[in-house]
Amino acid sequence: MRRSSPEKVKVRNGDVRRRRKSAESTDITDFDEQKRRFNEIQDMKMRKSISEHYITKDSSGNATSSPLLFAPTIDYKLQFIIVGDRNVGKTCFLERYTDNRFKEELRSTVGIDFRIKTISVAGHQVRLQIWDTAGQERFNSITTAYYRNARGIVMVYDVTRPETYRNLDKWLDLVKEYGRDDVEIAIVGNKADLPDLQVNPHKARHFAEQSGFLFYETSAKESLNIETVFINLVYKILKQIPQPHERNPRIRRKTIPSTIIDDNPHDKEPCRSACC
Ligand SMILES: Nc1nc2c(ncn2[C@@H]2O[C@H](COP(=O)(O)OP(=O)(O)OP(=O)(O)O)[C@@H](O)[C@H]2O)c(=O)[nH]1
């Protein structure tokens, strides 16, 4: 029987040691692998629950979810509603805000639609559910049912069509009748990118401010002031809601600034044409 030389035995012992070591390290690796997979699954579950949280709708009405990695804690959930005559740009205004896109073609809203967006305001995570309503009067019986839950209302007119500005009275009457007493309103003159301005922005601002509303000229096409409208409405609403530190002084105060964003370039512009 052939015997292994001591050298070879030594090598084999070394192999055994190596194998044991590698077996041990395999165990460790398996454990690490399991841990990694467990974390992956947890991560996937978390993403799923977040994306469920962040369901929006695409242009064809299908639900889509955003691929967020971390779930911010939602401090406030607010419902907003956008109203105004047909074709003033309500849908474009909302789509610019939630999806940062603009479509030229006319697509009249049928009834009501909504989008969701979460924003951070003064250190608070605020989830906005924003309802886009049809401007056609025949849908009023459907859309007014959504007024009572709206904390903020964006009332849109078209700066090139004075009748849409005059009709704000009609929309305000509906808000008075169906809306909350504590609703905050922003008057928005949309399509400010167009040259044939027909509504005097100073008069519109004066009317808004006298009534305690915010006022902005916007352009969904050129993405002008869209975000400002929503952020400032949220500021106004949060200032009304008792903050946690007011209910419980031991909670650290998160200040809501009293100044609001104002980047409206049309503020100081003279009237560009015969305005109403
Ligand atoms: N130039 C310009 N056109 C705009 C702007 N916003 C919207 N439009 C156009 O105005 C038209 C009407 O826009 P919509 O967003 O569908 O109007 P709406 O108010 O939602 O209309 P309804 O759903 O019928 O009530 C479309 O052709 C848009 O491309 C804007 O800021 N500038």
Side-chain angles (χ1 to χ4, degrees):
M1 197 173 116
R2 278 186 68 194
R3 297 199 54 181
S4 325
S5 67
E7 218 180 306
K8 279 183 183 162
V9 171
K10 211 174 161 189
V11 170
R12 283 210 185 126
N13 282 348
D15 276 344
V16 170
R17 265 200 299 276
R18 260 199 300 277
R19 253 181 250 133
R20 194 181 303 142
K21 212 170 168 190
S22 91
E24 279 164 10
S25 69
T26 309
D27 285 343
I28 290 167
T29 314
D30 281 351
F31 175 69
D32 282 349
E33 179 67 5
Q34 278 172 21
K35 212 166 113 184
R36 195 181 61 77
R37 281 197 200 142
F38 175 78
N39 286 341
E40 248 177 20
I41 290 165
Q42 294 304 313
D43 200 35
M44 268 164 55
K45 277 187 191 162
M46 195 174 82
R47 281 186 213 202
K48 190 165 173 271
S49 76
I50 296 165
S51 55
E52 274 164 4
H53 224 77
Y54 281 82
I55 287 172
T56 54
K57 286 205 274 168
D58 64 18
S59 53
S60 47
N62 299 319
T64 57
S65 54
S66 63
L68 285 177
L69 282 176
F70 301 104
T73 315
I74 304 296
D75 299 313
Y76 298 100
K77 291 177 186 172
L78 300 176
Q79 291 202 25
F80 280 14
I81 192 160
I82 307 179
V83 300
D85 281 9
R86 60 187 299 198
N87 295 339
V88 294
K90 297 180 295 296
T91 303
C92 291
F93 180 87
L94 180 57
E95 281 188 357
R96 173 61 83 191
Y97 184 53
T98 55
D99 306 328
N100 197 21
R101 69 171 178 221
F102 176 78
K103 287 183 182 164
E104 291 279 354
E105 77 266 22
L106 273 172
R107 294 159 297 145
S108 284
T109 307
V110 176
I112 194 146
D113 195 4
F114 77 93
R115 290 228 167 8
I116 286 177
K117 179 156 172 143
T118 299
I119 55 172
S120 177
V121 176
H124 298 287
Q125 290 295 321
V126 183
R127 195 176 83 147
L128 297 177
Q129 182 173 29
I130 309 164
W131 295 92
D132 172 26
T133 60
Q136 294 177 60
E137 218 165 312
R138 66 192 169 105
F139 292 113
N140 281 0
S141 58
I142 301 172
T143 54
T144 48
Y146 293 80
Y147 284 34
R148 79 177 65 95
N149 289 327
R151 201 63 207 258
I153 295 191
V154 181
M155 209 168 272
V156 187
Y157 68 91
D158 178 340
V159 295
T160 67
R161 287 163 56 213
E163 72 278 12
T164 65
Y165 175 72
R166 287 192 291 268
N167 280 341
L168 290 183
D169 279 343
K170 188 193 78 181
W171 295 106
L172 282 167
D173 285 346
L174 288 178
V175 171
K176 261 186 218 146
E177 191 173 347
Y178 297 100
R180 297 166 60 121
D181 292 338
D182 59 355
V183 71
E184 288 294 345
I185 296 174
I187 303 287
V188 166
N190 191 40
K191 307 195 188 180
D193 56 283
L194 294 175
D196 52 339
L197 178 80
Q198 295 290 324
V199 179
N200 184 333
H202 303 297
K203 275 190 186 170
R205 174 177 288 275
H206 183 71
F207 158 72
E209 286 178 353
Q210 280 216 320
S211 316
F213 308 150
L214 294 173
F215 171 76
Y216 294 98
E217 278 197 342
T218 64
S219 166
K221 186 172 186 176
E222 293 185 353
S223 197
L224 171 75
N225 275 345
I226 308 289
E227 198 154 5
T228 308
V229 170
F230 287 101
I231 290 180
N232 286 334
L233 261 182
V234 172
Y235 270 136
K236 269 193 111 180
I237 294 163
L238 291 192
K239 283 183 94 61
Q240 287 181 10
I241 300 173
Q243 298 298 297
H245 71 269
E246 284 162 359
R247 294 192 296 260
N248 180 354
R250 277 196 282 176
I251 295 175
R252 205 161 62 86
R253 184 194 182 103
K254 276 185 185 174
T255 328
I256 296 172
S258 52
T259 49
I260 54 177
I261 301 168
D262 193 353
D263 58 358
N264 187 345
H266 297 283
D267 271 0
K268 292 165 192 77
E269 266 189 16
C271 185
R272 283 174 276 168
S273 66
C275 300
C276 69

